[in-house]
Amino acid sequence: QQQVKQSPQSLIVQKGGISIINCAYENTAFDYFPWYQQFPGKGPALLIAIRPDVSEKKEGRFTISFNKSAKQFSLHIMDSQPGDSATYFCAARGYSSGSARQLTFGSGTQLTVLP
Amino acid sequence: DSGVTQTPKHLITATGQRVTLRCSPRSGDLSVYWYQQSLDQGLQFLIQYYNGEERAKGNILERFSAQQFPDLHSELNLSSLELGDSALYFCASSVGGAAGNTGELFFGEGSRLTVL
């Protein structure tokens, strides 16, 4: 059962454009929402994260917008660059089977920024 | 470099066989997580260990098992392999046991398993 739905599956953007990736969740007990970036041949790495008591967080060209009532959050990449081409995963932290909180990942978005 | 080491990087085997994937976490990290990444299902959480004890289970098949040793390295054992087990298997680590207090997991570069 997928608890975090991510869209689009793939995205092509021109250099300098804005890339937007959206995620939606159902579990209101999720308490942390990170985004991970994965380059080919590498493991995912934390890019930026937000807590549900904050509506927006910005780090450089990367911004997370969080809508708690709609249970949605999105990643905006401003002035997209070819070096941003990667797969992006949203995630949400909550309890699954066991005593520890876990990260549930979205299905990923493959971003291609054209030069 | 995340500091998480996984071996082997690539593994090709036949159906019905058994393989072991190995992970060394970042220095100081007590938690180890295993994820499976396939093209159509993204990153699926398999299992977590914290300081040698199983902490949480996800969508891990009964044919799969894992353990964490006293030196904190972990092994994922996959047996009776099927074609559908072909995937990238990632290990991640964190300091604490709650996907990290900051939600940050440090991933290795993965082990690509191909079952023929």
Side-chain angles (χ1 to χ4, degrees):
Chain A
Q1 179 182 357
Q2 184 180 19
Q3 297 185 50
V4 179
K5 294 185 178 181
Q6 183 173 347
S7 62
Q9 186 175 2
S10 62
L11 181 61
I12 300 175
V13 175
Q14 293 287 340
K15 178 182 177 182
I18 302 174
S19 303
I20 302 175
I21 304 170
N22 301 299
C23 284
Y25 63 97
E26 297 177 356
N27 186 350
T28 57
F30 285 145
D31 67 351
Y32 196 73
F33 300 86
W35 285 86
Y36 280 75
Q37 180 187 55
Q38 184 183 23
F39 292 106
K42 302 293 184 181
L46 180 65
L47 180 64
I48 186 173
I50 196 168
R51 297 190 183 277
D53 55 348
V54 176
S55 61
E56 185 175 283
K57 183 173 182 180
K58 183 176 180 179
E59 291 185 1
R61 296 183 295 106
F62 300 90
T63 300
I64 301 177
S65 296
F66 189 85
N67 186 329
K68 188 173 182 178
S69 61
K71 292 186 286 187
Q72 296 176 346
F73 59 110
S74 60
L75 176 69
H76 295 236
I77 306 174
M78 311 299 289
D79 187 25
S80 298
Q81 299 297 312
D84 297 331
S85 297
T87 300
Y88 293 81
F89 293 95
C90 63
R93 187 178 67 180
Y95 286 96
S96 62
S97 172
S99 60
R101 287 170 291 178
Q102 298 301 326
L103 288 183
T104 298
F105 286 86
S107 55
T109 296
Q110 187 168 347
L111 172 65
T112 302
V113 182
L114 301 176
Chain B
D1 183 5
S2 67
V4 177
T5 303
Q6 289 187 247
T7 57
K9 289 190 181 299
H10 302 277
L11 191 56
I12 301 175
T13 189
T15 54
Q17 296 298 304
R18 171 190 170 95
V19 298
T20 297
L21 310 180
R22 181 188 170 100
C23 170
S24 294
R26 288 191 322 157
S27 177
D29 284 359
L30 299 179
S31 273
V32 170
Y33 310 77
W34 286 98
Y35 283 85
Q36 180 190 56
Q37 183 178 36
S38 54
L39 283 175
D40 58 346
Q41 293 195 4
L43 280 163
Q44 298 291 313
F45 169 66
L46 296 179
I47 197 165
Q48 178 203 354
Y49 279 83
Y50 176 77
N51 202 21
E53 295 188 0
E54 181 183 305
R55 181 61 67 93
K57 261 187 176 180
N59 300 319
I60 188 167
L61 300 173
E62 288 190 6
R63 300 183 286 108
F64 296 179
S65 64
Q67 54 184 329
Q68 185 179 29
F69 295 86
D71 67 352
L72 300 179
H73 91 271
S74 178
E75 293 182 355
L76 178 67
N77 300 296
L78 314 175
S79 62
S80 302
L81 286 168
E82 302 175 358
L83 296 177
D85 298 328
S86 296
L88 257 178
Y89 291 85
F90 283 104
C91 169
S93 71
S94 67
V95 173
N101 288 331
T102 60
E104 181 167 12
L105 300 184
F106 296 87
F107 283 82
E109 295 191 347
S111 293
R112 181 172 294 280
L113 172 66
T114 301
V115 182
L116 300 177

